[in-house]
Amino acid sequence: MINHLGIIVDGNGRWAKERGLKRSEGHKAGAQNLRDLILYMSNKKLVNYLSLYVFSTENFDRPADEVNYLMDLFIKWFKKCQEEYSKENIKILFSGRKSLLKKNVVDAMVKLEQRTQNNTGLVVNFCLSYGGRAEIVDATKKICQKCLAGELDINAIDESLFSQNLYHELPDIDFLIRTSGENRISNFMLWQVSYAEFYFPKTYFPDFDTEKLDEAILEYQKRDRRFGKVK
Ligand code: IPE
Ligand code: IPE
Ligand code: MG
């Protein structure tokens, strides 16, 4: 059983290019696939926590029309899925710098978070406007503020306290999938992946369906996790 699965959603643009379509068509197909995967994981109870990298702090440097398309897609998706996630008992969280996003995007995110906050099933953490280094810097600032306010003793800072000051206190990632054949992290959950198993399938994300996910999980089950110890 995987407690926390991470997915770096990648290859939407190349999926579209191969078909002679616009990049936006790739994002649309990717979003549809992600919705299917979330429901599949929830129904089959495959994982307890699912973190999804859907928009990085670096992605703001893409052409404005692509960024705008993605933001509109997120808004539509978050509005549309409110009912579905409530019915499925899915709890939604967001990680990232909300201050970089437009108000209509943040509003849709906050509504979805509030609407699903008491759900007890699959926890889905969307990393949107997210950077792993930014998360570590933001946690450091929070901790420093507590120290300066006299609420926290410097000697009380340890790994567990640091984790509590991240965007959300989540368990470590056990298995990280990045689709599209790129073998890199691109600033995703740097703190949480310290002992994750990595898997880099060549498939572009829109084609990474439930069958491919099952294959990935089988691969995870073959891994020998030692955490530095001798067995
Ligand atoms: C992933 O697909 C989606 C986002 C980063 C928002 P890409 O848009 O990175 O697709 P490629 O990597 O260009 O194919
Ligand atoms: C990483 O993918 C960010 C997301 C999946 C949201 P990118 O496509 O932006 O990363 P690079 O540029 O290939 O490293
Ligand atoms: Mg990419």
Side-chain angles (χ1 to χ4, degrees):
M1 173 87 184
I2 298 170
N3 188 33
H4 190 175
L5 172 68
I7 304 180
I8 300 177
V9 167
D10 199 20
N12 291 348
R14 280 163 283 167
W15 180 92
K17 197 177 172 202
E18 267 190 1
R19 288 162 178 75
L21 300 170
K22 288 190 283 186
R23 290 180 58 84
S24 56
E25 291 297 321
H27 293 314
K28 197 167 144 192
Q32 185 54 54
N33 186 46
L34 193 51
R35 286 182 56 192
D36 294 344
L37 287 179
I38 292 170
L39 288 183
Y40 180 71
M41 280 185 247
S42 167
N43 288 330
K44 296 244 165 176
K45 298 195 174 19
L46 292 181
V47 304
N48 297 318
Y49 297 86
L50 174 64
S51 284
L52 302 166
Y53 202 11
V54 295
F55 195 90
S56 69
T57 44
E58 291 76 25
N59 290 149
F60 284 109
D61 294 328
R62 291 191 180 193
D65 62 340
E66 181 166 347
V67 174
N68 292 335
Y69 180 87
L70 281 164
M71 294 301 150
D72 286 342
L73 188 67
F74 292 138
I75 294 173
K76 277 188 212 137
W77 175 358
F78 299 152
K79 283 186 181 159
K80 201 169 167 183
C81 288
Q82 278 191 36
E83 287 298 323
E84 193 170 79
Y85 293 158
S86 301
K87 211 172 75 210
E88 296 287 328
N89 199 22
I90 294 172
K91 179 174 174 157
I92 302 292
L93 303 174
F94 288 97
S95 291
R97 286 189 173 158
K98 287 197 174 86
S99 58
L100 303 176
L101 294 164
K102 294 212 171 99
K103 189 178 175 296
N104 54 356
V105 186
V106 177
D107 285 349
M109 289 159 66
V110 170
K111 258 195 201 137
L112 186 57
E113 254 178 333
Q114 284 172 348
R115 183 83 193 269
T116 62
Q117 65 185 346
N118 296 321
N119 291 350
T120 55
L122 175 67
V123 176
V124 179
N125 171 42
F126 283 99
C127 296
L128 200 170
S129 183
Y130 177 87
R133 287 187 172 179
E135 178 168 29
I136 291 170
V137 167
D138 290 350
T140 306
K141 282 188 190 162
K142 263 200 243 173
I143 292 168
C144 289
Q145 271 157 1
K146 288 178 195 169
C147 288
L148 287 172
E151 294 160 15
L152 181 66
D153 178 354
I154 288 182
N155 294 312
I157 301 172
D158 59 10
E159 291 179 16
S160 148
L161 182 128
F162 201 89
S163 297
Q164 288 160 25
N165 284 278
L166 294 168
Y167 294 133
H168 295 286
E169 196 186 356
L170 295 168
D172 284 344
I173 291 188
D174 298 294
F175 191 43
L176 175 65
I177 301 172
R178 180 180 186 142
T179 56
S180 89
E182 306 295 359
N183 301 317
R184 56 177 173 261
I185 303 278
S186 302
N187 204 11
F188 179 63
M189 297 191 100
L190 300 178
W191 177 273
Q192 298 89 337
V193 298
S194 68
Y195 257 102
E197 295 292 325
F198 290 6
Y199 182 68
F200 298 115
K202 296 235 175 333
T203 318
Y204 295 142
F205 187 74
D207 290 332
F208 191 79
D209 56 13
T210 54
E211 235 169 82
K212 294 256 171 15
L213 177 70
D214 286 340
E215 272 172 39
I217 292 173
L218 275 180
E219 165 67 27
Y220 173 78
Q221 285 160 351
K222 289 185 209 148
R223 302 279 176 98
D224 180 19
R225 302 186 76 192
R226 292 190 289 276
F227 298 98
K229 300 181 183 76
V230 176
K231 276 197 176 158

